[in-house]
Amino acid sequence: MVSGCTTEIVAPETLYSKITRESLYNLEQWSFEGRLGLTGIKDSWQANINWQHRSSDEEIRLSGPLGQGATIIKLTGTLVTIDRGNDKIQTSLEPEAFISQQLGMFVPVRSLRYWVIGVPEPGSPYVEAGLGFRQAGWLIEYKQMQRVNAQNMPRRITVTNEKVKLKIMIDQWILNAAKTI
C-alpha cells in the first residue's frame, strides 16, 4: 500500500535546548523505523532499525537488506535478550556490556533510549553543545529534524566518542500509538 503522507523536514534548532524538549520525557510509548550505521576503530556495519519503546521495555530490531539477518534485542529492566532467529536466544543481566560484546564495540543502549528522542538521559550530567549535547563522554548531535504532530523529532542523529561513531536516520516516527509520518 502506498501512503500519500509526507514528512516535513525541519532545520535543526540553531542551538540545542533541553527546555524546548522537556515534554518528550513524558512519552510512554513511541517507535521509529530507519537506518543506522556503526563505525568503530576496526569494524563498521549498517542495518535497518525498528525501535519500539514502551514504559516497561525496549525492543530493537536490526536487519540487513530485505530483512535478512534479523536480530531482536529486548531490554526489560536490567535484563537483555538477543534473538538472532536461530532458536538460540541469549540473555544477560548486564545489558550494555553484553550488547557491546556482541557488536564488538561499546554502544550506550540505556542512554541511547533518551538520545534518539532528543533529550539527555535523566540523572546524568550533560552540557549543551551546538546542535546537541555532550553526556557520559559522547557527543550527540541532531543534524536534521522532522515535524511529527506538533513536535520536532530527530531525523538524522550522530552519536560519537573517540572510538565509535553511530549515525541514525529516522524515516518514520510513531508517538504514543498515534501513527504519524
Side-chain angles (χ1 to χ4, degrees):
M1 177 183 265
V2 177
S3 173
C5 298
T6 60
T7 299
E8 178 185 351
I9 306 301
V10 180
E13 299 159 14
T14 304
L15 292 176
Y16 176 84
S17 173
K18 178 186 166 206
I19 294 169
T20 63
R21 310 197 55 74
E22 198 71 34
S23 66
L24 295 174
Y25 286 109
N26 298 325
L27 287 176
E28 293 180 6
Q29 186 174 331
W30 52 260
S31 66
F32 71 78
E33 294 177 7
R35 298 169 303 272
L36 69 84
L38 185 60
T39 304
I41 295 171
K42 296 180 181 178
D43 198 10
S44 67
W45 55 269
Q46 296 180 348
N48 295 318
I49 183 170
N50 181 316
W51 188 320
Q52 294 182 18
H53 165 81
R54 293 172 291 274
S55 58
S56 61
D57 67 354
E58 311 287 333
E59 182 177 300
I60 305 165
R61 179 182 297 266
L62 303 172
S63 63
L66 303 174
Q68 294 176 338
T71 297
I72 299 172
I73 302 168
K74 290 185 181 180
L75 292 156
T76 307
T78 59
L79 178 68
V80 62
T81 303
I82 296 181
D83 180 356
R84 289 195 169 92
N86 57 4
D87 294 330
K88 193 174 184 181
I89 297 173
Q90 299 175 295
T91 62
S92 174
L93 291 173
E94 298 179 22
E96 290 186 338
F98 184 62
I99 290 170
S100 297
Q101 176 189 30
Q102 300 295 312
L103 296 176
M105 58 189 96
F106 181 74
V107 176
V109 176
R110 286 188 176 165
S111 300
L112 199 57
R113 171 264 177 266
Y114 295 96
W115 299 347
V116 296
I117 63 170
V119 295
E121 180 180 12
S124 179
Y126 72 95
V127 176
E128 292 184 3
L131 297 177
F133 52 88
R134 292 184 179 278
Q135 188 173 43
W138 294 86
L139 174 62
I140 300 86
E141 294 182 292
Y142 301 96
K143 306 284 189 169
Q144 195 174 55
M145 304 296 281
Q146 58 188 315
R147 262 334 246 175
V148 179
N149 298 341
Q151 198 63 253
N152 279 346
M153 296 300 292
R155 177 167 169 77
R156 204 169 54 127
I157 308 164
T158 60
V159 177
T160 55
N161 70 10
E162 63 280 346
K163 296 180 181 178
V164 176
K165 182 173 191 173
L166 175 66
K167 292 181 181 181
I168 303 172
M169 175 66 100
I170 299 172
D171 297 320
Q172 179 179 6
W173 279 99
I174 299 173
L175 302 178
N176 284 334
K179 191 171 184 177
T180 59
I181 300 180

